[in-house]
Amino acid sequence: MAVYTEVSDEDLEAFIAGYDIGTVLGCKGIAEGVENTNYLLQTTCGTYILTLYEKRVDPRDLPFFISLMDHLAGLGLACPTPLRGRDGLSLRQLCGRPAAVISFLQGLWPRRVTARHCASLGRAMADMHLKGLSFPGRRPNNFGLAGWRPLFTSERNRADEVKAGLADFIAGELDHLEAAWPTGLPTGIVHADLFPDNVFFLGDQVSGLIDFYFACTDFLAYDIAVCLNAWCFESDSSFNVTKARLLLANYTQLRPLGE
Amino acid sequence: MAVYTEVSDEDLEAFIAGYDIGTVLGCKGIAEGVENTNYLLQTTCGTYILTLYEKRVDPRDLPFFISLMDHLAGLGLACPTPLRGRDGLSLRQLCGRPAAVISFLQGLWPRRVTARHCASLGRAMADMHLKGLSFPGRRPNNFGLAGWRPLFTSERNRADEVKAGLADFIAGELDHLEAAWPTGLPTGIVHADLFPDNVFFLGDQVSGLIDFYFACTDFLAYDIAVCLNAWCFESDSSFNVTKARLLLANYTQLRPLGE
């Protein structure tokens, strides 16, 4: 991740003048996040994130992402809140790209995941799932079951370069998954990218969820499965059952499974 | 520029506990600066820069840079101030690298240089030169006259790849410069890297000079020459005499040339 778009001072100051957040004191490109350009923006009113959406994000999806963050933050979820300009709009243009100013969340993403992180994550994820139920927008999951076969087909020839026999293994798995994929599981808004770098903590408590640019409509279990895989395995690939149990127990306190 | 060293939360919190600056609220890698790893660090006490010195900087030079910033900031120059830990030390180790916490300066570096920027820069540069006169440290300029011939010799074969005839041209220039280089010009601490990305402004006034990791002892005119070249030419390579006159006039108000 890097700064893809350099913003001149004049362009920045003119852009920020469209908001009610004072004048610019500083603006630093930050080396994190999805493949957008993110600046940490300091004004006389506080600290914000300025995001310029680069080619990776389909501009037609941006209203969905922005209104979802607005909805979740409005219900009290700790997540970035898109700021509205004086004209009432959250999504604007800067340097020829869609751009938004969003609230800044304090916290650190955990470089080393502990069981306490997993416990707090379970609760935060359930909270997000519940608050997403009242969101009216829908968006298909580009990286759900329907997306896997086209992805595999386009890259099949390279799979065996990674490991001999991998192409056949994936083909078999895909056949199995397409035949056995469940139907009728509880569906709603999923974050779909709940890896550690998208969850901020203060101490061992979640202080915010960020980066909703893969969010979509799918089985809620999709997020749970991502988290079990991304948070509950050790660097030697062993499964940490304590982390997984804490994650699920805290999740189900808020949102029992099977409902 | 990127984040070369990832710092775990535990390492960061243990490191910051060695200072009197509260507890960590956030820490983001910033995509600017020389080839060090820089984090924008937020604690319960304020905002700071955490720098991990990567291989580009010779660790033996670090005490010079740190004490120079300390000296200049102590005399009221707007430049990063290295913070001392509870043990009195400014230069410490983090993740196996030398590291320092320095004060955060508000401001923007100018993506588009105006004549007003040049005027304010002239004054700030003269102020730095004067405040450097009482600094006792000395360090040779690796990129002064003595450094150019070895650099040329090692890369001579590639010069004609850039432009036919360039190697001969540079060789001739070097002969001329070595023969005609002045002696006895006023000498002192020079920044030696005063490009626009190292000078912060609020509006059109300099709010700080940063990145002293090339600072050294040389003719003060070295910095002036760098600034005339880096700030006073337009993108079409034309010389902007208004910018140059303003830069020099404001410089000489504080430090007349020839003294």
Side-chain angles (χ1 to χ4, degrees):
Chain A
M1 163 53 216
V3 168
Y4 299 99
T5 305
E6 280 274 355
V7 182
S8 75
D9 301 355
E10 293 90 336
D11 287 345
L12 177 65
E13 280 158 14
F15 183 79
I16 296 305
Y19 292 84
D20 238 342
I21 56 171
T23 58
V24 178
L25 294 177
C27 190
K28 297 207 182 301
I30 55 180
E32 296 187 32
V34 291
E35 294 169 43
N36 297 320
T37 295
N38 287 300
Y39 287 97
L40 200 135
L41 171 72
Q42 299 190 298
T43 76
T44 44
C45 292
T47 302
Y48 307 89
I49 298 286
L50 166 64
T51 300
L52 285 80
Y53 298 98
E54 305 289 344
K55 287 176 186 153
R56 173 81 184 248
V57 177
D58 186 335
R60 291 169 300 181
D61 285 333
L62 284 171
F64 174 88
F65 300 137
I66 295 282
S67 59
L68 174 61
M69 289 189 272
D70 200 37
H71 174 89
L72 294 173
L75 292 178
L77 189 79
C79 72
T81 315
L83 272 70
R84 290 176 196 277
R86 295 181 200 275
D87 55 6
L89 299 177
S90 304
L91 194 58
R92 316 161 79 81
Q93 289 273 325
L94 177 58
C95 298
R97 281 164 182 70
V101 176
I102 58 178
S103 62
F104 176 77
L105 295 182
Q106 299 279 23
L108 297 159
W109 65 265
R111 269 67 175 176
R112 221 173 291 156
V113 170
T114 67
R116 286 166 177 272
H117 290 135
C118 293
S120 185
L121 169 67
R123 211 171 166 80
M125 175 167 47
D127 189 31
M128 176 191 65
H129 285 168
L130 293 174
K131 287 174 172 153
L133 292 177
S134 53
F135 182 65
R138 292 185 64 82
R139 180 176 172 269
N141 185 354
N142 300 334
F143 298 104
L145 180 70
W148 295 345
R149 188 164 292 276
L151 196 61
F152 175 58
T153 305
S154 71
E155 303 298 329
R156 174 177 197 133
N157 292 336
R158 299 182 56 200
D160 282 347
E161 293 173 22
V162 177
K163 186 173 174 163
L166 186 60
D168 283 348
F169 177 81
I170 294 175
E173 285 293 302
L174 267 182
D175 290 342
H176 169 72
L177 290 168
E178 286 170 353
W181 199 250
T183 54
L185 290 180
T187 294
I189 292 293
V190 293
H191 181 286
D193 195 28
L194 270 181
F195 289 80
D197 55 333
N198 287 331
V199 184
F200 287 174
F201 290 82
L202 287 173
D204 50 25
Q205 295 300 306
V206 171
S207 62
L209 306 176
I210 66 160
D211 204 352
F212 283 77
Y213 303 109
F214 290 94
C216 55
T217 315
D218 205 338
F219 297 156
L220 300 178
Y222 184 95
D223 270 347
I224 301 175
V226 168
C227 287
L228 288 171
N229 279 282
W231 294 73
C232 302
F233 283 81
E234 301 304 309
S235 52
D236 66 356
S237 301
S238 64
F239 182 56
N240 186 320
V241 71
T242 305
K243 290 181 178 176
R245 283 198 175 125
L246 278 168
L247 193 154
L248 290 174
N250 279 271
Y251 183 95
T252 52
Q253 272 184 11
L254 277 190
R255 183 183 163 265
L257 295 178
E259 284 189 10
Chain B
M1 162 55 216
V3 169
Y4 300 99
T5 304
E6 279 274 355
V7 181
S8 76
D9 301 354
E10 293 91 335
D11 287 346
L12 177 65
E13 280 159 14
F15 183 79
I16 296 306
Y19 292 83
D20 239 341
I21 56 172
T23 58
V24 177
L25 294 176
C27 190
K28 298 209 181 300
I30 55 179
E32 295 188 32
V34 290
E35 293 169 42
N36 296 319
T37 295
N38 286 301
Y39 288 98
L40 201 136
L41 171 73
Q42 298 190 299
T43 76
T44 44
C45 291
T47 302
Y48 307 89
I49 298 287
L50 166 64
T51 299
L52 284 81
Y53 298 97
E54 306 289 344
K55 286 172 186 155
R56 172 83 185 247
V57 177
D58 187 335
R60 292 169 298 183
D61 284 334
L62 284 171
F64 174 88
F65 299 137
I66 296 283
S67 59
L68 173 61
M69 287 189 272
D70 200 38
H71 174 90
L72 294 173
L75 292 178
L77 190 78
C79 72
T81 316
L83 271 68
R84 289 176 196 277
R86 295 180 200 277
D87 56 6
L89 299 177
S90 304
L91 193 58
R92 315 161 80 80
Q93 288 273 325
L94 177 58
C95 298
R97 281 165 181 71
V101 176
I102 58 178
S103 62
F104 176 77
L105 295 183
Q106 300 280 22
L108 298 160
W109 65 265
R111 269 66 175 175
R112 221 173 292 155
V113 170
T114 66
R116 285 166 179 271
H117 290 136
C118 293
S120 186
L121 169 67
R123 211 170 166 80
M125 174 167 48
D127 189 30
M128 176 192 64
H129 285 169
L130 293 174
K131 287 174 172 153
L133 292 177
S134 52
F135 182 65
R138 291 184 65 82
R139 179 177 173 269
N141 185 356
N142 300 335
F143 298 103
L145 180 69
W148 295 344
R149 189 164 292 275
L151 196 63
F152 174 59
T153 305
S154 71
E155 303 297 330
R156 175 179 195 131
N157 292 336
R158 299 182 55 200
D160 283 348
E161 294 172 23
V162 177
K163 185 171 176 167
L166 186 60
D168 283 346
F169 177 80
I170 294 174
E173 284 294 303
L174 268 181
D175 289 345
H176 170 70
L177 289 168
E178 286 170 353
W181 200 251
T183 54
L185 289 181
T187 294
I189 292 292
V190 293
H191 181 286
D193 195 28
L194 270 180
F195 289 80
D197 55 333
N198 287 330
V199 184
F200 287 174
F201 290 82
L202 287 172
D204 51 24
Q205 295 300 305
V206 171
S207 62
L209 306 176
I210 66 161
D211 204 350
F212 283 77
Y213 303 109
F214 290 95
C216 55
T217 316
D218 204 338
F219 297 156
L220 301 178
Y222 184 95
D223 269 347
I224 301 174
V226 168
C227 288
L228 287 171
N229 279 281
W231 293 74
C232 302
F233 284 81
E234 302 303 310
S235 51
D236 65 355
S237 302
S238 65
F239 182 57
N240 185 320
V241 72
T242 304
K243 290 181 177 175
R245 283 199 174 125
L246 278 169
L247 193 153
L248 290 173
N250 279 270
Y251 183 96
T252 53
Q253 271 183 12
L254 277 190
R255 183 184 163 264
L257 295 177
E259 285 189 11

